[in-house]
Amino acid sequence: MNNIKIYPIILCGGVGTRLWPLSRTSYPKQFLNLFNDRSLLQEAALRVNNSEVFSSCIFLGNIDYKFLIKNQIDRINIKDYKLILEPYSKNTAPAVTLAALQLMESDPEAVMLIMPSDHYIGNNSAYLQAIKKAYCHALNGKIITFGVVPNCAHTGYGYIRRGKPVAEENDNIFYIEKFIEKPSEDKVKEYITSGKYSWNSGMFMVKAKTYLKELSKYRLDIYNACINTLRHSKVIGNEVILDAESFVDCPAESIDYAVMENTKLGWVVKTDIDWSDIGSWENVWDINSKDESGNVCKGEAIIKECRDSYFFTQDKKLITALGLKDIIAIQTGNATLVLPKSRAQEVKKLVSQIGTDNRETVAYDTKVPKPWGSYEVYADKPNFKIKKIIITPGNKISLQSHDHRAEHWIVIKGIATVTRGKEKFDLKENESTFIPPKEVHRLENKQDMDLHIIEVQTGSYFGEDDIVRYD
């Protein structure tokens, strides 16, 4: 097992609606700190940050998340990586195809470890053992999926029925007999009792050239679409920016349907790694440390006579509860969710309904990350809106104007360099300026500390689409 060289392919494309309202389409669950001071994406990257086993990572995600991905990876001091940016989400099969084609250019014998960015793994040593076990078989042209030993009758997961052991000296590698997509509760109980089934973790190990050969055999349309997309895409530094016009024609499909349910090369490694896809608030409650009554409290919470519940609040907002059992209660800046823990899987349906009436609440909380920093909405009324804007050192907002609103800026920390029409000047703390409608303007932070601005908007419309950009 010397000279192991595995390329982690970390998929960052999920929108995370099942953990709404903390997870939004503008800031999905892979970027959240749910269990400690690191996000799920950072945990995934650090899990494979071992130069004795792993080569540099390839991250794949929507171009809208470019700065979120880069900022989070930079904060954990990982410098050597590639970022493939998709204009549209096309599911996992095209994403992995693009990564495999990129790897083949530099290493025709590359072995890929394909892994989501938003899963939880509690036993990293067992995970590494399973990876090393799978590596030998991947080198020999097999496609290995990681089947997790079930610890409960979970209906939200896909299942794999294991066939016979590959070798007589059973090393927990099995032939794959069948994939089952989210079975009924009665079926799941049968599966657990039989001992012949594993959870489908959505993680795979395969040579890049093996994957491409099998994909072209079963889904030549995806293979050709990805080749055509890369042919027209841009490479800037460590970023591959996919051509939107080419990629729009690529079919959307998962690895499971495109390859795994068709190939004769699929094997499964049975592993017990304390895994969860964190697909519901019940999963979040289950993984977190609890008090003596089985409760998890995040933020300012006062609870009495409550059991086996999860309470979350942010920004020093107080949440209180009395006499509740098996409840999820989440309070964010502009939304509150309360539901029985047993119905946590239904949040996605609720978000779909909310989206038909109030798209912004699905997409944005009151605090919104931006490439240049962030803004937070303090008040949003019919005739005014108040924001706190933070611009990080060396950054600036785009040169822009608004048709339907004026803006008043007050500096509360740092020094702002302001462009207003043909003027350019600095504002210090407690100084302010006024930007009338249709005036071209920009905020810039040339200092080595964060710039904090209070922005008061007045006018007839305050939507984020009332922006004309000039650069």
Side-chain angles (χ1 to χ4, degrees), residues 451-464:
L451 169 64
H452 292 216
I453 297 279
I454 294 296
E455 177 181 270
V456 180
Q457 302 175 5
T458 57
S460 58
Y461 179 69
F462 309 111
E464 290 302 309

Side-chain angles (χ1 to χ4, degrees), residues 64-267:
D64 291 342
Y65 302 145
K66 168 184 170 179
F67 292 100
L68 289 174
I69 296 170
K70 289 173 71 74
N71 288 342
Q72 291 211 349
I73 298 307
D74 288 348
R75 286 208 298 269
I76 55 175
N77 203 33
I78 292 178
K79 304 299 182 186
D80 183 18
Y81 65 90
K82 181 170 285 187
L83 180 56
I84 300 177
L85 297 165
E86 302 169 307
Y88 325 100
S89 176
K90 294 290 186 175
N91 214 319
T92 54
V96 174
T97 305
L98 293 161
L101 289 168
Q102 282 285 297
L103 282 175
M104 288 290 289
E105 293 181 4
S106 57
D107 186 353
E109 298 300 314
V111 174
M112 305 185 293
L113 172 64
I114 301 156
M115 51 188 288
S117 62
D118 58 357
H119 288 186
Y120 170 84
I121 295 176
N123 191 335
N124 285 323
S125 61
Y127 180 53
L128 186 58
Q129 289 175 10
I131 287 170
K132 290 180 177 179
K133 191 177 293 182
Y135 179 74
C136 297
H137 302 292
L139 274 180
N140 292 324
K142 300 301 178 184
I143 306 177
I144 310 300
T145 186
F146 294 78
V148 177
V149 176
N151 58 19
C152 66
H154 203 301
T155 58
Y157 294 153
Y159 284 72
I160 301 171
R161 180 178 170 91
R162 302 186 304 274
K164 294 180 180 180
V166 167
E168 291 184 6
E169 65 282 3
N170 185 1
D171 61 352
N172 282 327
I173 302 284
F174 298 84
Y175 294 104
I176 296 172
E177 191 169 300
K178 188 179 181 181
F179 288 92
I180 304 98
E181 181 69 19
K182 296 181 180 178
S184 67
E185 187 173 353
D186 289 341
K187 282 291 185 183
V188 167
K189 290 177 180 177
E190 289 180 24
Y191 297 164
I192 301 299
T193 303
S194 75
K196 296 179 180 179
Y197 292 79
S198 298
W199 285 336
N200 185 355
S201 69
M203 296 184 288
F204 307 89
M205 185 176 290
V206 59
K207 270 189 171 182
K209 68 179 181 182
T210 302
Y211 175 82
L212 293 172
K213 183 178 179 181
E214 291 299 283
L215 180 79
S216 62
K217 185 187 301 182
Y218 300 111
R219 290 302 303 264
L220 186 60
D221 53 346
I222 294 176
Y223 179 80
N224 286 337
C226 289
I227 287 179
N228 184 56
T229 297
L230 284 175
R231 189 179 293 128
H232 294 92
S233 298
K234 296 179 182 178
V235 179
I236 303 175
N238 69 337
E239 299 174 14
V240 180
I241 304 170
L242 299 183
D243 178 65
E245 189 174 336
S246 304
F247 197 51
V248 72
D249 295 325
C250 182
E253 192 60 277
S254 68
I255 296 173
D256 295 76
Y257 287 127
V259 176
M260 295 306 296
E261 294 196 7
N262 298 301
T263 185
K264 307 299 183 186
L265 303 178
W267 291 355

